[in-house]
Amino acid sequence: MRILVAGGAGYIGSHTCVELLNAGHEVVCADNLLNSKYESIRRVEKITGKTIKFYKVDLADYEATKVVFEENKIDGVIHFAGLKCVPESIQVPLKYYQNNLDTVFVVMQLMKEYNVKNFVFSSSATVYGDPKVLPLTEDCEVGGTTNPYGTTKYFIERILMDMCKADSSLNVAILRYFNPVGAHPSGMIGEDPNGIPNNLVPYVTQVAIGKRPYLNVNGNDYDTPDGTGVRDYIHIVDLAIGHVLALNKLATGSGLVIYNLGTGNGYSVLDIVHAFDKAVGRPIPYKIAPRRPGDIAACYADPAKAREELGFVAKYGVDDMARDAWNWQSKNPDGYGEEQ
Ligand code: NAD
Ligand code: UD1
């Protein structure tokens, strides 16, 4: 299939482009490079030996995005485009609502005009809010989001459900990611955050490379085995393969489907720190700090539905995640560097 990867130059998008090309799909990528570099696309081409047709385009701009649909016969869209920084979303909510929703509106409108039926959407475990039961199945209550970023995901899920009700020919996969981490084993592509990382793993790798003195472990008084927050970390390559499997499902005329993409295993912040101690070969310095506002104690998936219906099985463990994240960071201390 010829797949439009919206936001494909970003962290998850670039890894998904690799897996799509490896699976024999053609990739058209559209990204305004707001939070990414074109270098990621060059490197995907190097890894796979295949080419990507790239458009630098704001997907909230209807006219500009129309060119992509006009010039390419698209069979399906994977929609990664969006802003994802939780604290920023609290400060500038309108920017988040506008960008995250408008990009979906424009792409869905053009899909209708160009008769494209298959759509994969990047949602997040954040739609479950503070879980009442664990592990989380897809039937668990959603909507208790605690920040505008999470609320954009919840709203978009609802909009997609309404669209599928109105048009039974649409096939939509909502993928609720747990915590994607790590990098492609080649060390050529990986996560390249701007400024101070908000998320645990990029912060740890920056401590390991010497850019930051120590990690703040946010809270050791949660009701978890060691008191630190527990999450379901999933290797980015496993997550990327989940998108290829979701496309296969859509191709069967699935209608609306929703899947958790996680491993089903919960690891604490200190478990992750210790996995990095091993990967890096020396202890990662850390200090216990106050809880981060809005954080939950524990969150992990029941991955059974994705396993049964997609054949999705995460094959990498936390030691692989730490090894590959460190491989990427140590080979690329400044990420993709400045754009040429
Ligand atoms: P990312 O920021 O690396 O990638 C998003 C890409 O979208 C970037 O390349 C950015 O330039 C592009 N983009 C943003 N707005 C755009 C616009 N208006 N027009 C064109 N391109 C635009 O983020 P990521 O980690 O790869 O996440 C991809 C998607 O998955 C996002 O929607 C994110 O909310 C979601 N998600 C991510 C995580 C995570 O932990 N990384 C977890 C759950 C869900
Ligand atoms: C966060 C977002 C979530 C988003 C996801 C991916 C919040 C509340 N949630 O998830 O919506 O989908 O990122 O972008 O921001 N930690 C530390 N020290 C740090 C950083 C993190 O101890 O410097 C801890 C956190 O308290 C948490 C764990 O590490 O227990 C994971 O944090 P993080 O990587 O930010 O992911 P989430 O908070 O799960």
Side-chain angles (χ1 to χ4, degrees), residues 7-233:
Y11 173 47
I12 305 174
S14 55
H15 288 81
T16 301
C17 286
V18 170
E19 300 309 326
L20 287 168
L21 291 167
N22 284 345
H25 295 292
E26 268 181 58
V27 172
V28 176
C29 173
D31 197 305
N32 63 357
L33 304 179
L34 198 66
N35 195 38
S36 52
K37 309 257 169 62
Y38 181 66
E39 178 62 16
S40 66
I41 297 294
R42 280 195 206 105
R43 297 203 187 176
V44 170
E45 292 182 327
K46 255 189 217 154
I47 290 169
T48 59
K50 297 186 178 167
T51 54
I52 289 178
K53 195 164 174 188
F54 182 80
Y55 290 83
K56 185 171 181 217
V57 68
D58 179 355
L59 291 153
D61 178 338
Y62 171 84
E63 291 301 334
T65 308
K66 191 177 168 111
V67 174
V68 181
F69 282 80
E70 188 60 40
E71 292 184 357
N72 303 279
K73 165 87 190 70
I74 302 294
D75 299 306
V77 177
I78 305 182
H79 193 92
F80 294 108
L83 300 169
K84 63 165 184 178
C85 177
V86 170
E88 188 188 41
S89 80
I90 296 167
Q91 283 160 5
V92 282
L94 187 58
K95 182 174 160 190
Y96 273 67
Y97 286 114
Q98 258 175 350
N99 191 64
N100 291 7
L101 276 83
D102 281 354
T103 53
V104 172
F105 293 153
V106 164
V107 168
M108 293 297 285
Q109 176 63 35
L110 286 162
M111 281 176 56
K112 194 173 157 80
E113 287 169 31
Y114 287 82
N115 203 29
V116 182
K117 297 294 182 188
N118 301 315
F119 186 77
V120 179
F121 177 64
S122 298
S123 190
S124 165
T126 193
V127 297
Y128 294 116
D130 194 350
K132 293 192 184 73
V133 285
L134 288 170
L136 285 156
T137 63
E138 289 80 353
D139 300 331
C140 287
E141 196 181 319
V142 293
T145 49
T146 53
N147 55 73
Y149 162 74
T151 309
T152 68
K153 296 294 178 194
Y154 173 62
F155 284 172
I156 294 167
E157 285 200 3
R158 288 297 302 269
I159 291 163
L160 294 173
M161 288 174 197
D162 286 342
M163 292 186 68
C164 288
K165 266 189 211 150
D167 179 356
S168 61
S169 71
L170 262 182
N171 302 309
V172 172
I174 291 173
L175 302 181
R176 294 180 180 151
Y177 310 152
F178 281 68
N179 289 58
V181 298
H184 190 267
S186 64
M188 289 175 67
I189 55 172
E191 192 168 6
D192 182 20
N194 279 329
I196 302 171
N198 294 299
N199 297 118
L200 177 64
V201 165
Y203 204 103
V204 170
T205 59
Q206 290 201 3
V207 171
I209 200 91
K211 285 194 171 183
R212 319 219 167 258
Y214 57 86
L215 170 75
N216 283 308
V217 173
N218 293 123
N220 67 346
D221 57 353
Y222 286 107
D223 183 15
T224 59
D226 66 17
T228 67
V230 166
R231 297 290 184 274
D232 186 340
Y233 297 93

